[in-house]
Amino acid sequence: MSSTNTAIIRRFALLEHNPRVKRYFSNIDDFEGELLENGRALARQACLVDPLDTIDIVQFKMWLFNDYIAKSDSSFYAIPVARFHSESNEFKPQLLLYFQGNKEDEDGDTGILSAEISFRLFWEESQVTELRLKSLATEIKARFATPRYQWRKGTEIVTYYKPSDGFELRLYVANKAEGIRVIKDICRLADRPYDDNCINHSTSNRSFPVNPGTEMVLGKQQKKRRRRAIGEVKFEYAQFSWYKLTKPIILVNAGYRFRRAVEYADF
């Protein structure tokens, strides 16, 4: 196989195959090179392609995931491209809610507690109007900005996977109950029923110290980045995106980030 074809296959695996593997195993942690002995974490590690893998290993990992783990050799139904595009979540409007961490909890690690929650809105093209965006902004302001919505980030992971409703959520939270509380509120905002069968919860036996120590970077000693910081986050803004828009629309601004928004909250 030519070096060009090899590079193309390896790039495809990194850009397309690895994200599929991570979504399939979305309810488990990243283990950052640790040697694993069994379970789903080992299967995930075995399927993820590394940039240094030989082309034979790349092909084997793709086969292992598609034919052995994900069972993708099952029956499927083909549909025309135009119909697929009309049904694909990729072309649905997307709503992003941004949450800012408490500065005291961040302890100098600016942005370490910030969080984003995004999901798709199942609106038809004819339903994307200024009037409906105004109505959505008003609802977000009422539910999340007055007063500013808060939740507690932490070391545990709660995922909510229901693509048919536009959700592929992954939250770092203090506990399972906190994650479910936030996800239920998101479902209410999206006007979609909450489904407890779509919840996954995972914890880690690893420690995540507030002071992780220091390390040398380019000849200078600097503080290591904290992982899975614990602390309160508050709603900051809501952003509406759609593939037909050249720029996102800020629906609600509850902080100091934007000069223009559909709705403002007191801050």
Side-chain angles (χ1 to χ4, degrees):
M1 186 179 293
S2 71
S3 59
T4 300
N5 287 336
T6 298
I8 290 173
I9 292 174
R10 183 178 287 109
R11 181 169 175 78
F12 173 83
L14 293 172
L15 296 180
E16 299 293 335
H17 169 77
N18 277 3
R20 286 183 60 214
V21 173
K22 290 179 180 179
R23 285 196 297 270
Y24 186 86
F25 293 104
S26 62
N27 63 324
I28 65 174
D29 297 340
D30 291 325
F31 286 86
E32 298 183 352
E34 293 182 15
L35 183 61
L36 307 173
E37 295 182 356
N38 51 50
R40 283 173 56 81
L42 176 61
R44 179 183 188 273
Q45 187 181 55
C47 293
L48 285 173
V49 171
D50 186 271
L52 298 180
D53 284 342
T54 66
I55 193 63
D56 290 338
I57 294 297
V58 170
Q59 291 175 319
F60 175 79
K61 287 183 174 181
M62 293 176 70
W63 169 85
L64 177 65
F65 177 73
N66 291 326
D67 289 4
Y68 183 73
I69 294 178
K71 307 292 185 184
S72 64
D73 57 349
S74 57
S75 300
F76 66 92
Y77 298 88
I79 61 175
V81 172
R83 183 179 168 194
F84 168 77
H85 283 175
S86 69
E87 296 177 358
S88 171
N89 288 2
E90 179 183 356
F91 294 91
K92 298 297 184 183
Q94 186 175 34
L95 184 64
L96 180 146
L97 306 179
Y98 181 87
F99 300 83
Q100 181 67 49
N102 185 309
K103 299 299 182 185
E104 294 181 1
D105 291 334
E106 290 183 339
D107 192 28
D109 290 324
T110 304
I112 196 171
L113 275 175
S114 61
E116 294 181 356
I117 299 177
S118 63
F119 55 93
R120 299 287 178 172
L121 297 169
F122 278 71
W123 295 3
E124 300 300 329
E125 287 194 14
S126 60
Q127 295 175 314
V128 183
T129 63
E130 290 186 6
L131 183 62
R132 190 163 191 187
L133 288 177
K134 173 66 175 177
S135 176
L136 177 61
T138 301
E139 183 177 1
I140 295 171
K141 179 180 178 180
R143 290 180 180 269
F144 287 88
T146 49
R148 290 172 69 176
Y149 187 93
Q150 296 187 56
W151 53 283
R152 189 164 183 81
K153 286 190 68 176
T155 62
E156 301 183 15
I157 300 175
V158 173
T159 63
Y160 186 73
Y161 188 76
K162 194 175 184 182
S164 60
D165 279 355
F167 298 119
E168 296 183 33
L169 306 180
R170 178 184 173 92
L171 305 182
Y172 289 87
V173 291
N175 51 63
K176 182 179 180 180
E178 181 75 333
I180 291 176
R181 177 181 72 87
V182 175
I183 289 168
K184 284 183 175 180
D185 289 336
I186 295 297
C187 288
R188 292 189 191 99
L189 177 63
D191 196 24
R192 294 283 166 171
Y194 168 78
D195 186 349
D196 196 54
N197 293 321
C198 297
I199 284 285
N200 275 297
H201 172 238
S202 65
T203 61
S204 175
N205 292 326
R206 302 172 66 184
S207 62
F208 303 99
V210 175
N211 184 1
T214 61
E215 61 184 348
M216 292 291 292
V217 178
L218 297 177
K220 296 182 179 179
Q221 198 77 17
Q222 70 176 33
K223 184 179 178 181
K224 289 183 179 179
R225 187 76 168 170
R226 288 165 58 194
R227 299 184 68 244
R228 302 200 190 184
I230 300 173
E232 297 291 330
V233 295
K234 290 183 178 182
F235 174 78
E236 183 85 0
Y237 67 86
Q239 174 181 289
F240 177 89
S241 302
W242 192 33
Y243 80 104
K244 287 195 173 185
L245 294 174
T246 56
K247 292 182 180 180
I249 298 173
I250 304 302
L251 295 180
V252 181
N253 180 30
Y256 295 90
R257 289 177 179 267
F258 304 100
R259 296 176 60 186
R260 299 186 62 183
V262 177
E263 288 280 1
Y264 291 90
D266 294 332
F267 55 86

